[in-house]
Structures are given as structure tokens and as C-alpha cells.
Amino acid sequence: MRMTSIRLKLLIYMLLVCVLTIALLVGLTLPGYSEMAGQDLTRLISLYVASLIVLIGTGIYLVDRLLIKPIKDLTVATRQLAQGNYDIRLPATRHDEIGVMTESFGILQHNLQASLQNYDRENNTLNETLIKLQASEARARGIFDNVQDGLIITDGLGAIVAVNPALCDMTGYTASELINNNVNSLVPEHNRSQHQRDVVNFALDEKRLKRPHKHVTALLKDGNTIPVEISLSQLRSNNKLLIIAVVHDIRQRVQAEHALRYERDRAQSYLDTAEVAIISIDTKCLITLINRKGCTLLGYSEGELLGVDYFSLCPDQSVADEMREAYQQHVLNNEVFPKYFYITLRTRAGQDRIFEWHNNTVKDYEWNTAGIILAGVDMTDIRKSIDERKALRERLHQAQKMQAIGQLSSGIAHDFNNLLASIMGYTELLQDILSDADESVAGYLKEIYASGVRARDLVEGMLQYSRNAKKIGETSANTLYIPAMADDLSKMLHNILPDRIAVSINIPQDAIPVTIDSINLQQLIINMSLNAVDAMPDAGNLVITCLNDFNYHGECTSCGKSFNGNYLKLAVSDTGCGIGNESLSRLFEPFYTTKIVGEAGKGTGMGLAVVHGIIHDAGGHIIVESKPGVGTSFKVYIPAATEQTMANVANA
Amino acid sequence: MAKILVVDDEQNIRNILRESLKKEQHEIFEASSGQEASDILDKHAIEIMITDLVMPGKTGLDLIMEIKEKIPELSIIAISGGGGINGRFDYLPIAQLIGANNIIRKPFSIADIKQTVKELLAG
């Protein structure tokens, strides 16, 4: 917009005043003017004066309107601005210099107001930052002052810059006593040189100190020392290195550790004093604790056993797996695990030892099974002693029984056989006399005679048994080559045994000579064969075999003893009804029979007792294997003849 | 037919042997002890002696040893129910060792006795 300046306005105004003045002066000089009457002249002069007054008034008005008032308004606005009133508004309605000035003032006022507002905002931000900073510093100070651990801030050389109240409480020093002193004043004399090196090393490179968290001893103001744990860190402030040390008083912890160690040592001493093996295993069957006795019994060091699978010490893999499975079920499903059990463990020396264990389940804080503690005793020797005593008792019992049978049979055999001879003899006489009697009488006489035969067999069995019993401990020098008697044996068995039994004899020519009486051997085979026949009431197969068995190791079914050596194994096997476990253990007892007592030709209960006597008299043993419904095999182990006994026979 | 001496302290045994062998037409003499048997042997030409071994007084073994020296040709059948002194020995094998031609264990069957007698007489 083009503005009209005040100068132009005043120029126009002055021009109007000049025109008017000139017009007045020209009028006065005009010819008619002099002719005017006084009244007209006065009127004209008055007109001029009035015009002049109007012009002057107009001039004054214009000056006031155009100059004085805007300047006055601007002055007032400037004063208010100076007084801080930035909200004043001067309308820029004019287009002259005053308008420009007013507009410029407005812009100035606006800019000033904007700057002030910007300043206020910045000032507010600054204030907020300052407040936060102050709060942060207050918090830091609060932490520094109230933290439970002692804090020391030193420079790179160890000069103390600041300490917190906790450190003062801990050491007994005031802050002023410590600040500016070297931190070495808090270290016992004997540790100071090392500590100073640590400080310098840490200052140079915090990684140089291998253990920034370390247990050290702090020297207190009263001269006492306490254990502390310090942790160090570096801080850079204004490009200046500071070291912050957090000092934790660990007196209680150390005391607790000492107490714990004391209790542990005491518990360990109890464990080590115990004369039983004590083993703790975790949920994975791993050994977590073992006492000295346990190590001694197993022959390992504690270190060798810790972490080892307990059940892996059991040499029998199947037993180990079974026990491990039962233990896992106990841990996982809370199933019952035996509180008391025997298990054989193999020592480092390779010996198998029988342990009797009692155990208790260990629960964790959530009452879950965390493992078990086992207390065990090596029962190997005791068990062996018990077994030996048991075997001895059994042998004594057997010997007593045999002695009683021997005495009884020897004592009564003669008289008894005489009585039997009378019974059987008179029966035969009667049979002869009453040969024409009716069948029932003949049948009765036949039964009387058959009973006599059974009674005779019984007495004969008792006599044989007692004879063999008496020979126990004596050696027989008879050396026998069984293949040489195979034919006779075969004939004898075919004569004795019923036709329903298929007999098969397989005696190889390379069977070794054995030490046994031939009559006794025959009796042994007959007795076992008759026993087999009784087990096959309808039909069946009887197989007699021989086999050399060198360095054989086994356990006798009859006497229960382990035996080993060179034997000829004579096996008498049948396809009969078999023998139950209960009968198996009593098979060789005199008078023990499962047969129907009194049945013709059966049930004296002496047949296998005689076998027992004969084979043990010969220094051999017998093993019985039987499966009910399938058959039984009597394996007689006859000792191989020694070179000496064979030489004796050759010389004879 | 032969003269047979039956020696046994048991009357029943003597009765049975007597009755059995009489049926075979033999002449039977009886003695209840070793001494009585010796007396009969001195008086009669006995061909076969069937003797028990365990008897009070002179035992069958004593009798066999004595007679075998005096009458070596006498056939002797030793019979015994076993037992023996304190049960330690079986007398029958011993009897065989000292001269008994045959041994038969009591209780015997009459058929065995008859058969043995028959065999001895047949030589």
C-alpha cells in the first residue's frame, strides 16, 4: 500500500494557507476595495480573520491529529512495554510514518514478547533440570549417606576423597579424620604394601586386579581388625580418576561360616567315627557324601566315589538295574523303596562284599524326595559265618540223623530181618500149602509177602545208608573206568526197569577214570533210575550220560557246599513229572518221600539218601535240576581219579 | 536127598527151613546155637549146613571157621539179617571170606534157599 506522508499533508495545508493569504492581499488591492464602505470593509476583514482563524485551527488540529497524538500513544505504549506489559496492542491504521512507526513498534513488541516467552520456556526447562539434578544429587547423597555398606571414594593414589557414615560407623573414624588420608590407614600394617600395589594396579587398569571382590582385613580406629569384603570400581569425574570401594562387613557371615564349618566338621567327625558305612545319594543315584568307613570298606578315596552312580558299584547288572528302577520310582512317584536291603558291591580290589543297608529318605524344603542316606554294614564275613554255621548245623543234623539211622538200623536190622524172614517164610509155606485155595486167600498171602519185601528193602536201604555214613571222611581207593562197565550197566537197567521206560545210555570212551566203588556206583545208578521211573508212571525216557568236567565249579544240591575240581559228570535224566522247589531241598533227607507210602515197590524214602551217602563218601557231589512237568536231571559229580590212585590200581 | 543142618537161634527160621526143605525130601537137623551145631556135626554126616551168623555164644562165624578146618567138604550156606557187632560190619561177606559157599541175606525167599541147596548138591 502506498502511504501518504505527513510532510505532504502539511505541505498541502501550508499551500492552502498561502493561497488564502494571497487571495486576501489581492482582494485588498483590487479597485473595488477602496470603494468599499466602512461596513463592507469591516465585514470583509472579519471574513478574512475568520478564515484565518479557521485555517490556524485546522492547522492546530492537523498537527495534533497527525503528530502529537500518535507520538503520545507510542510513548504510552513504550512506557507500558518498559513496565513489562507485553500485551498492549497499537493498531496500525495509518499509512504514514506514524503508521510505519506504530507497525514497527508492534513488530518489536511481538518479537520481544516471543523472545520473552521463549526465554521463559528455556528458563522453565532449566529450572526443571536443575530440580531434577538437585533431586538426583539428593538421592545419591541419601544413598551414599544411608547405604548399609561402607563407601570410600579415593583418588588414583588412594587418597580418600569421601566416606559415608556407614564406613565411619564401621571403622570408628569420623569423615574428617579419614578424608585426605590414604586408604592404607584402614589396612593392617602387614598388608599395606600389597594393598598399595593393588590400588595402583586397579587405578592403572581395573582388569589388572584379578579379584575385584575380595576378602580383606580392615583396621579399625581402636586397633581391632574385622573381615570385610570389598568391591572396587572406577569412576571418571571431570577427567579425574576416582576409585569407589564398597566395604561390606562380613563378620556375621564369617562367624556363620565358622559355625557352619564347625558343625560340618563335627558332623563329619561323627560320620567318620561311625563304624558303619554312611552314603548319601541324590535323586540321580549319585553319591553326594560318604564317610571314612564307607571309603575303607569299598577301597576307594572319597574323591573317587563322590559323583559316582551308587548302583554302578553292584557287580550284578540286573540287580543294579532293578534297584535303580525302584529308587527312581521312589524319587519320582513316591513309591516304596525298601528301608532295609542287602546288596553286593564290588570293591576297588575287585572283591564282592555283601552289605546290609538301612536307609532314610531325605526331603527338600518343598517336601520332595531329594535323595536317601544309607547306613550299611559289611555282612560278608558275618553272612559267611552264618552260612557256615548253618551248613555246619545242617551237617551236624544230618550226621546225627545218619548216626541215629545207623544205630537204629544196625541195632534192629538183625532182629527185624529175622522177623521178616519168619513172616515171609511162613507166607511162602502157606502159599505152598494153600496153592489150591481160592484166589482171595492167595491174594492176601501175596500181599503179606510183598509187604515183607518192602520192609526188607527199607531195612537194606537203612543199612546201606548207615554204612556209607560211617565211611564219610574215609577215602576210597577204588578207581573205576565206567565205559568198561557200560554194557553190564545197560543189561542191569533193562532187567530192572519196566518196559514202559525207554532207556538210553551214552558213556563215551574218553570218560576219565573216577574214584568210586563199583558196587556203590551201581547202587547209585539204580536208585536214581528207580526214582526216575517212579516219576514216569505211564511212560518216558531215561537217559544216562557221562561227560568229563574239568575245573568245574558248582554248589551241591544235597549238602549245599560249593565244590570245584575235575569230575566225571554222570547224569540220570528223565522226562517225568519233575520236582517242586520245596521237595528239591529235602530230596536227600532219609525217609523223605513224595511217593505213596505203602504202595508196592515205592516210598521207602531211602533211595536218594543212599545216593547222597554214596556220592559224598566218594568225595563227589550232586546237582539236581528239575522243571515240573518237564523232567528232572540228577547230575552226579564223581571225582576224577588221581594219578596216585590209578598207579595203585595198576600195581595191584 | 541130603542131610542138612539148620542152625539158627530163631525157632521160626528153623521151622520154615525145615518145612521147606523136608518137602524136597531132605533130612533136616536143627541146632539153636553154634555149640549145638558142633555136636550134631560130630555125630552126623551132614552135607549142607545152613547157619545164621549172629547167635548167642558161639557165633555162626566161629562155627564156620571151626567146621571148615574139621570138615572142609561141608557145604555152608550163611544166612544173616545183617547188623553185626555194634553195626560196624556186615557179617555175610566175612562169612564168605572164611569159607561159606553161599550167603543169603534175611529175609530170604524159600525159592532162593531151595535153589542154592540144589546147586550145592549138584556140585
Side-chain angles (χ1 to χ4, degrees):
Chain A
M1 179 184 288
R2 188 179 174 185
M3 67 179 178
T4 305
S5 69
I6 293 174
R7 192 183 302 165
L8 183 60
K9 288 177 181 174
L10 289 175
L11 195 62
I12 293 168
Y13 174 73
M14 290 304 291
L15 190 61
L16 283 174
V17 171
C18 288
V19 170
L20 188 58
T21 304
I22 292 167
L24 184 57
L25 291 174
V26 170
L28 286 174
T29 60
L30 289 175
Y33 185 74
S34 51
E35 300 171 345
M36 281 183 189
Q39 205 174 15
D40 291 331
L41 186 59
T42 303
R43 199 178 292 132
L44 185 62
I45 293 169
S46 295
L47 182 62
Y48 278 118
V49 170
S51 298
L52 194 60
I53 290 168
V54 169
L55 281 174
I56 292 170
T58 303
I60 292 169
Y61 173 77
L62 284 172
V63 168
D64 181 64
R65 177 74 181 154
L66 294 174
L67 290 174
I68 295 173
K69 190 174 182 297
I71 289 170
K72 191 178 176 182
D73 289 344
L74 203 56
T75 302
V76 169
T78 305
R79 280 186 184 152
Q80 286 187 349
L81 195 64
Q83 289 171 357
N85 180 9
Y86 303 109
D87 295 328
I88 54 170
R89 292 284 181 269
L90 290 178
T93 54
R94 291 164 50 173
H95 303 288
D96 53 13
E97 286 80 356
I98 293 299
V100 171
M101 191 182 293
T102 302
E103 188 179 16
S104 299
F105 179 83
I107 292 167
L108 178 66
Q109 182 259 340
H110 175 76
N111 289 341
L112 184 60
Q113 190 175 15
S115 296
L116 283 173
Q117 286 174 346
N118 194 35
Y119 170 77
D120 285 344
R121 278 197 298 275
E122 288 179 357
N123 195 33
N124 287 338
T125 303
L126 200 60
N127 282 338
E128 285 172 6
T129 304
L130 187 63
I131 289 167
K132 285 179 182 174
L133 199 62
Q134 285 171 341
S136 175
E137 188 185 354
R139 280 198 299 274
R141 172 55 65 180
I143 292 168
F144 189 76
D145 287 344
N146 295 305
V147 70
Q148 294 295 312
D149 286 333
L151 295 171
I152 307 173
I153 301 174
T154 71
D155 63 14
L157 296 174
I160 297 173
V161 176
V163 293
N164 71 339
L167 188 98
C168 295
D169 291 343
M170 193 188 299
T171 60
Y173 288 105
T174 63
S176 58
E177 286 173 323
L178 288 171
I179 290 171
N180 295 327
N181 280 332
N182 194 287
V183 73
N184 250 348
S185 60
L186 294 172
V187 177
E189 182 72 34
H190 61 278
N191 287 342
R192 282 181 185 168
S193 57
Q194 177 62 45
H195 181 260
Q196 186 62 51
R197 282 196 296 275
D198 288 346
V199 170
V200 172
N201 274 328
F202 186 74
L204 290 172
D205 182 356
E206 57 185 331
K207 291 177 183 172
R208 280 197 192 183
L209 203 61
K210 290 180 181 173
R211 294 174 60 199
H213 300 269
K214 58 188 292 188
H215 291 185
V216 296
T217 302
L219 178 64
L220 308 182
K221 186 179 180 181
D222 60 10
N224 288 322
T225 57
I226 59 168
V228 294
E229 182 184 73
I230 61 168
S231 54
L232 302 172
S233 56
Q234 287 188 353
L235 175 69
R236 297 236 168 231
S237 176
N238 295 330
N239 207 26
K240 187 178 175 185
L241 173 67
L242 295 174
I243 298 173
I244 301 174
V246 179
V247 184
H248 183 56
D249 183 351
I250 57 171
R251 269 178 293 187
Q252 286 186 338
R253 191 208 296 176
V254 169
Q255 284 170 358
E257 284 174 356
H258 284 168
L260 198 62
R261 194 175 297 122
Y262 173 74
E263 288 297 328
R264 191 192 64 193
D265 291 347
R266 196 167 63 159
Q268 188 68 43
S269 72
Y270 290 157
L271 289 175
D272 288 342
T273 308
E275 274 303 308
V276 295
I278 297 173
I279 295 177
S280 172
I281 63 174
D282 65 10
T283 54
K284 295 176 182 172
C285 311
L286 304 180
I287 296 173
T288 56
L289 175 149
I290 182 162
N291 71 339
R292 190 179 299 161
K293 184 70 177 179
C295 292
T296 304
L297 290 175
L298 290 169
Y300 291 96
S301 69
E302 184 184 12
E304 287 173 322
L305 285 172
L306 292 178
V308 169
D309 183 335
Y310 166 75
F311 295 110
S312 69
L313 297 171
C314 177
D316 189 330
Q317 189 63 41
S318 60
V319 173
D321 291 344
E322 191 180 331
M323 293 295 289
R324 193 182 288 108
E325 174 63 22
Y327 179 66
Q328 293 293 353
Q329 289 301 321
H330 175 62
V331 170
L332 297 174
N333 303 324
N334 211 24
E335 290 189 8
V336 176
F337 187 70
K339 287 277 183 190
Y340 165 84
F341 61 89
Y342 280 93
I343 191 169
T344 298
L345 301 181
R346 182 159 290 171
T347 67
R348 191 179 191 187
Q351 286 186 321
D352 291 344
R353 310 290 295 180
I354 303 167
F355 284 86
E356 176 190 358
W357 293 106
H358 293 261
N359 69 78
N360 265 321
T361 302
V362 179
K363 299 283 188 182
D364 64 12
Y365 61 94
E366 289 180 330
W367 209 241
N368 295 318
T369 299
I372 55 172
I373 289 183
L374 304 123
V377 181
D378 183 352
M379 294 292 288
T380 312
D381 296 335
I382 297 170
R383 280 287 289 266
K384 193 176 170 187
S385 173
I386 289 171
D387 289 346
E388 282 175 354
R389 278 208 300 273
K390 189 179 173 187
L392 198 63
R393 199 162 52 238
E394 283 175 358
R395 285 207 297 278
L396 181 65
H397 179 65
Q398 186 79 352
Q400 286 173 336
K401 193 186 280 185
M402 289 190 293
Q403 187 182 13
I405 291 166
Q407 287 174 345
L408 182 69
S409 55
S410 297
I412 68 167
H414 177 260
D415 293 339
F416 197 73
N417 280 336
N418 275 332
L419 293 171
L420 279 177
S422 299
I423 293 167
M424 291 170 70
Y426 282 126
T427 304
E428 278 191 273
L429 287 175
L430 279 172
Q431 282 175 326
D432 202 20
I433 294 165
L434 301 173
S435 58
D436 296 333
D438 62 47
E439 284 185 8
S440 60
V441 172
Y444 298 151
L445 291 171
K446 193 177 174 185
E447 283 301 319
I448 292 170
Y449 191 83
S451 296
V453 170
R454 286 202 301 277
R456 181 194 63 193
D457 292 345
L458 175 60
V459 175
E460 179 59 25
M462 288 166 66
L463 281 174
Q464 279 187 354
Y465 185 81
S466 63
R467 277 198 294 275
N468 285 310
K470 287 184 183 70
K471 288 179 185 174
I472 287 174
E474 299 171 9
T475 55
S476 171
N478 294 329
T479 297
L480 198 63
Y481 180 58
I482 294 180
M485 57 186 292
D487 289 343
D488 291 342
L489 198 60
S490 177
K491 284 177 192 167
M492 180 184 76
L493 288 175
H494 281 101
N495 286 332
I496 293 174
L497 304 181
D499 294 338
R500 70 173 195 273
I501 305 299
V503 180
S504 166
I505 299 176
N506 179 20
I507 300 176
Q509 290 299 309
D510 67 347
I512 53 173
V514 288
T515 307
I516 192 168
D517 180 79
S518 62
I519 302 296
N520 281 345
L521 180 68
Q522 283 183 21
Q523 186 69 55
L524 185 144
I525 293 172
I526 288 169
N527 285 14
M528 288 194 295
S529 300
L530 289 173
N531 201 65
V533 168
D534 290 340
M536 299 182 285
D538 299 324
N541 298 323
L542 177 71
V543 180
I544 297 176
T545 57
C546 273
L547 189 70
N548 297 332
D549 219 334
F550 299 109
N551 294 319
Y552 180 77
H553 178 89
E555 186 174 299
C556 182
T557 308
S558 167
C559 71
K561 279 186 176 177
S562 292
F563 63 97
N564 61 330
N566 298 330
Y567 295 93
L568 176 70
K569 179 174 73 178
L570 172 72
V572 178
S573 306
D574 65 60
T575 54
C577 56
I579 304 166
N581 282 337
E582 189 184 347
S583 297
L584 209 58
S585 60
R586 302 187 60 193
L587 213 52
F588 297 94
E589 287 183 18
F591 304 117
Y592 178 77
T593 179
T594 59
K595 300 162 195 167
I596 302 165
V597 176
E599 191 179 338
K602 294 184 180 179
T604 65
M606 292 305 296
L608 292 178
V610 168
V611 169
H612 166 92
I614 290 172
I615 191 61
H616 284 87
D617 177 36
H621 292 277
I622 185 166
I623 292 177
V624 184
E625 291 172 355
S626 185
K627 200 168 181 182
V630 176
T632 304
S633 182
F634 285 80
K635 297 173 182 175
V636 176
Y637 289 83
I638 310 166
T642 60
E643 292 180 2
Q644 184 61 47
T645 55
M646 290 200 292
N648 290 343
V649 171
N651 293 334
Chain B
M1 183 177 132
K3 289 183 179 177
I4 299 173
L5 172 62
V6 174
V7 188
D8 201 305
D9 58 335
E10 283 287 330
Q11 179 65 53
N12 283 325
I13 303 298
R14 295 201 304 272
N15 290 344
I16 290 163
L17 289 172
R18 186 187 66 233
E19 294 302 317
S20 304
L21 295 170
K22 268 172 71 177
K23 287 190 175 181
E24 302 296 313
Q25 308 301 315
H26 299 299
E27 186 182 356
I28 306 301
F29 298 83
E30 291 180 49
S32 61
S33 68
Q35 187 55 52
E36 199 177 331
S38 293
D39 294 342
I40 293 171
L41 286 168
D42 287 340
K43 294 174 185 171
H44 302 279
I46 302 294
E47 295 165 79
I48 295 173
M49 180 175 74
I50 301 173
T51 180
D52 187 20
L53 297 178
V54 181
M55 290 181 292
K58 185 187 282 185
T59 67
L61 293 175
D62 295 336
L63 180 65
I64 292 168
M65 283 190 287
E66 179 192 313
I67 296 304
K68 267 296 173 182
E69 283 189 1
K70 287 168 69 176
I71 316 169
E73 68 276 13
L74 179 69
S75 295
I76 300 172
I77 300 171
I79 58 173
S80 176
I85 301 166
N86 296 326
R88 281 197 66 80
F89 301 107
D90 188 356
Y91 284 175
L92 284 174
I94 297 170
Q96 199 164 25
L97 283 173
I98 62 176
N101 300 80
N102 290 87
I103 54 173
I104 294 175
R105 195 174 295 281
K106 288 183 185 174
F108 46 78
S109 91
I110 291 173
D112 286 347
I113 296 285
K114 286 178 178 174
Q115 181 62 30
T116 305
V117 167
K118 195 174 175 181
E119 287 172 3
L120 286 173
L121 290 174

